[in-house]
Amino acid sequence: MRTWLPFATMSLLAGCATHEAPQLLPADHNGPPELPAAMPHVDPADISTERMSEVTRVLASEDFQGRSMGTPGEEKTITYLIQQFHLAGLEPGGENGTWTQTVPMIRTKLQSPMSFSVKQGASTTALRFPDDIYLSTVRDTNEARIANAPIVFVGYGVNAPERNWDDFKGQDLKGKVALILVNDPDFEAAAGDLVAGKFGGQTMTYYGRWTYKYDEAARRGAIASLIIHETAGAGYGWNVVQSAMGENFNIVLPQGAQQPVLLQGWIQRPAAEALLKRAGYDYETLKRQARSAAFKPIDLHATFSAQAPVELTRLTSRNVIGKLTGSAYPNETVSYGGHWDAYGIGAPDAEGRTVRPGAADDALGLAAMIEVARKFASGPRPQRTLLFTAWTGEERGLLGSEYYAQHPLYPHETMAANLTFDTLQFAGPVNDAVLVGRGQSELERYMEEEAKAQGRYVTPESHPERGLFYRADHFSLAKRGVPVLLDMALAGAYDMKDGGRVAGNRWLDAFTAKCYHQPCDAWSSSWNLEGAKQEAELFYAIGARISNSRDWPQWNPNSEFAKVRAQSHDARPGEQIVVAPRGERGRR
Ligand SMILES: [Zn+2]
């Protein structure tokens, strides 16, 4: 057990020894917090590395216990963020004049005894959890039970009309188990294949994400989805797949909403290969067939059974939202975001540390966002409304932003852009800016121009196969058509002012291997936040430009998200639709 310090002993006012211990406000307090925080005294119009460091230090401190949803760490986080938003000069932007939006959630965990098996003809094969198969549920249920559901191999499980691709060919999956290949149909395509480049080549599209595959199977009525795990295609090993040990989270879905599959997860490649072989199919041959648009689902004449009790917990979490009301067009918005949650408490690392404090991911992102907010609040009020949101539950599946997207407090149609900070680097100043998800929207041009004004150039992400564009909160808004930019230091090595790309790679590799989602992602007084400051300045400049213009940044016509945005065109006064030449997005 961990000792829990009373809040009043927190070193919230470190650096200000004469100050009395703060009397902190309850997190649901709606008025302005009365307390001044001991922030370094730097002009509010400047992005301050000292203030960013201090905010990160507090959020990543032991007392906040890794900022997990539904824990005392959440209470402290929300209280602190409201205080910081207020001090930055924001107004409450949440529900009913408050600073927050309530996000009802469920937490599930599969319990022992559990059993999973495949029946083919007279023989039944047990699948061991979590060695052969890894499953969890995001349904509101106390039990996961599946009896003899037919297994259908659906190739890559993709329905992409804009690419003339449909792996389902009308196949009804009601009550069935979808067995699905990892990543996009062209991930392993050779240069001459017809499919090559159709899904971005090595760049993962939304169709390659497991979230998409589970959702698509659910839309077709499947009871379970199983993705065949391969490390290259997934972007991570089986150790990452099984690390949550059967736990999962979801937002509480509205009445009548599409239900997710009952069980979702992964099957190890050797277990899948054996299953297919017994059904008379060779795995590599099937993969080749699935790389063709002519592919049709295959009934494997096998059934899947599962039984596991589910520990179901209900919790209420919150998004924190602040705003600056626009001077001329208050109903049009530009939004900034970052997530407040981290990975809570886990198994001890080599040094015995158990708290996973999420310092760079994403306390530092929030600290940058707060600096941007303060800079806006200290200057002339922009014409459009600015929103600043600290999302909950990002690490558990973009939950806070998804809930907001389903229950928006400001119309999506007139949100001109969303700019998201998720994980900034702390290794010093840089010569470039890393673009995540190239070829998506006009915002990339804004980024290029504003980076240039800062003396930086734009570098495309170096790990497009990781699909990071689909893995942060901006994506929940992108799905509803809002043009987005993501600032994420995990997407590629920077060209560091000191040491160039080699030094950038050294930081990225070390952080990804040792610290990402681990106790090692901790604050340090030796951080150099000059690079994080450049990111805050860049997003400030882009947001300032959009919020003081009549611009409606456009998706590229071939983007997955152009269609949904076009549907609300009439809601945007004066929007000029950019018609780019066909195949524009194919340039990547
Ligand atoms: Zn993150």
Side-chain angles (χ1 to χ4, degrees):
M1 281 297 286
R2 175 149 293 272
T3 316
W4 186 249
L5 296 174
F7 200 25
T9 64
M10 276 174 50
S11 50
L12 203 74
L13 304 181
C16 194
T18 56
H19 219 291
E20 284 178 9
Q23 188 214 330
L24 283 146
L25 299 162
D28 59 356
H29 182 91
N30 297 336
E34 295 89 359
L35 278 169
M39 276 291 152
H41 297 291
V42 181
D43 187 336
D46 292 334
I47 302 289
S48 155
T49 55
E50 292 90 341
R51 279 192 302 249
M52 280 199 278
S53 179
E54 174 59 12
V55 168
T56 307
R57 184 190 67 76
V58 173
L59 288 171
S61 61
E62 281 278 307
D63 300 316
F64 285 66
Q65 290 200 318
R67 304 189 305 280
S68 192
M69 289 120 57
T71 69
E74 163 161 354
E75 294 300 315
K76 294 183 178 189
T77 303
I78 303 280
T79 303
Y80 182 73
L81 287 173
I82 291 173
Q83 185 194 35
Q84 291 305 315
F85 277 22
H86 172 69
L87 289 169
L90 297 181
E91 315 149 24
E95 290 164 328
N96 312 314
T98 71
W99 288 97
T100 59
Q101 177 182 37
T102 300
V103 182
M105 292 185 185
I106 56 166
R107 171 193 168 272
T108 65
K109 193 167 193 302
L110 299 195
Q111 302 289 303
S112 292
M114 51 177 107
S115 73
F116 305 102
S117 63
V118 170
K119 189 160 181 270
Q120 292 171 286
S123 79
T124 299
T125 311
L127 294 169
R128 296 165 304 155
F129 178 101
D131 301 324
D132 300 324
I133 193 170
Y134 177 82
L135 293 163
S136 65
T137 185
V138 291
R139 267 205 205 170
D140 189 334
T141 182
N142 289 302
E143 191 187 30
R145 183 206 290 263
I146 296 174
N148 297 312
I151 305 173
V152 182
F153 176 69
V154 296
Y156 288 88
V158 169
N159 175 33
E162 80 286 2
R163 292 160 209 249
N164 297 315
W165 196 278
D166 175 15
D167 282 329
F168 298 97
K169 307 287 189 301
Q171 167 88 48
D172 182 7
L173 291 177
K174 200 166 185 328
K176 297 176 182 171
V177 175
L179 183 65
I180 313 170
L181 293 169
V182 72
N183 213 304
D184 294 322
D186 67 350
F187 180 65
E188 292 184 55
D193 289 1
L194 274 177
V195 69
K198 209 169 173 111
F199 289 85
Q202 288 296 294
T203 300
M204 188 188 275
T205 68
Y206 179 36
Y207 302 110
R209 293 281 298 145
W210 50 263
T211 45
Y212 166 80
K213 293 173 192 283
Y214 296 158
D215 288 351
E216 190 62 42
R219 279 191 284 272
R220 287 158 198 282
I223 188 87
S225 308
L226 280 176
I227 300 173
I228 302 170
H229 181 263
E230 294 193 61
T231 300
Y236 38 77
W238 187 257
N239 61 323
V240 172
V241 166
Q242 64 171 3
S243 62
M245 290 307 294
E247 184 185 56
N248 216 328
F249 290 83
N250 200 0
I251 53 176
V252 171
L253 300 172
Q255 285 264 318
Q258 166 72 57
Q259 281 297 303
V261 292
L262 175 59
L263 283 169
Q264 61 185 48
W266 301 78
I267 181 166
Q268 282 265 45
R269 177 181 166 153
E273 270 178 327
L275 188 172
L276 291 165
K277 197 170 174 201
R278 288 192 301 271
Y281 296 97
D282 171 62
Y283 181 58
E284 287 299 330
T285 309
L286 280 186
K287 270 213 284 194
R288 262 197 307 282
Q289 288 174 11
R291 290 202 288 270
S292 156
F295 170 83
K296 286 197 195 74
I298 299 169
D299 181 346
L300 296 176
H301 300 291
T303 63
F304 177 74
S305 294
Q307 187 161 10
V310 177
E311 182 187 277
L312 177 69
T313 321
R314 293 178 199 286
L315 52 126
T316 302
S317 189
R318 275 159 297 174
N319 292 322
V320 185
I321 309 174
K323 70 173 174 180
L324 289 171
T325 304
S327 60
Y329 308 103
N331 298 325
E332 299 176 6
T333 57
V334 174
S335 71
Y336 288 88
H339 65 89
W340 65 251
D341 67 308
Y343 260 87
I345 293 171
D349 69 354
E351 291 164 48
R353 296 177 295 188
T354 55
V355 174
R356 296 175 285 196
D361 175 14
D362 186 31
L364 182 53
L366 291 180
M369 183 175 80
I370 291 166
E371 284 302 287
V372 170
R374 192 185 333 265
K375 190 168 164 68
F376 273 116
S378 73
R381 186 58 62 93
Q383 295 173 7
R384 286 170 160 164
T385 293
L386 290 162
L387 299 172
F388 300 88
T389 305
W391 306 111
T392 179
E394 190 273 352
E395 302 288 11
R396 311 300 185 156
L398 317 183
L399 297 180
S401 57
E402 176 60 26
Y403 186 85
Y404 175 90
Q406 289 183 17
H407 306 85
L409 302 179
Y410 304 86
H412 296 320
E413 308 87 72
T414 51
M415 186 175 278
N418 171 264
L419 308 173
T420 292
F421 292 106
D422 193 344
T423 312
L424 301 182
Q425 59 86 11
F426 44 79
V430 295
N431 295 313
D432 62 349
V434 175
L435 170 64
V436 191
R438 187 176 169 193
Q440 287 285 1
S441 83
E442 241 189 330
L443 286 174
E444 295 169 20
R445 181 169 56 77
Y446 288 63
M447 177 172 167
E448 228 159 82
E449 290 167 5
E450 298 305 330
K452 198 171 168 198
Q454 286 187 315
R456 293 201 277 169
Y457 63 95
V458 169
T459 304
E461 60 187 321
S462 54
H463 292 291
E465 77 285 0
R466 291 179 186 168
L468 293 171
F469 185 79
Y470 309 97
R471 290 170 56 182
D473 293 308
H474 66 298
F475 181 54
S476 299
L477 292 165
K479 279 202 282 186
R480 275 74 185 190
V482 178
V484 295
L485 272 184
L486 170 64
D487 193 333
M488 185 182 258
L490 300 169
Y494 284 97
D495 171 4
M496 311 297 299
K497 283 216 191 298
D498 186 5
R501 193 82 59 198
V502 173
N505 255 315
R506 202 181 309 130
W507 180 86
L508 179 59
D509 289 349
F511 184 82
T512 309
K514 291 197 220 105
C515 301
Y516 181 52
H517 294 167
Q518 301 302 319
C520 152
D521 182 11
W523 174 86
S524 162
S525 59
S526 65
W527 278 8
N528 180 337
L529 295 181
E530 290 301 326
K533 176 177 172 171
Q534 287 173 291
E535 301 305 318
E537 284 170 340
L538 177 64
F539 268 24
Y540 169 83
I542 297 170
R545 182 168 156 185
I546 300 169
S547 59
N548 283 307
S549 77
R550 304 302 299 133
D551 293 1
W552 297 106
Q554 298 290 301
W555 288 102
N556 226 311
N558 289 358
S559 161
E560 299 96 313
F561 313 108
K563 212 164 115 192
V564 52
R565 186 62 162 180
Q567 286 163 3
S568 64
H569 166 65
D570 293 347
R572 287 181 292 283
E575 182 180 50
Q576 303 286 319
I577 301 241
V578 177
V579 183
R582 270 186 74 78
E584 168 70 9
R585 223 189 144 215
R587 69 193 154 91
R588 65 186 187 182

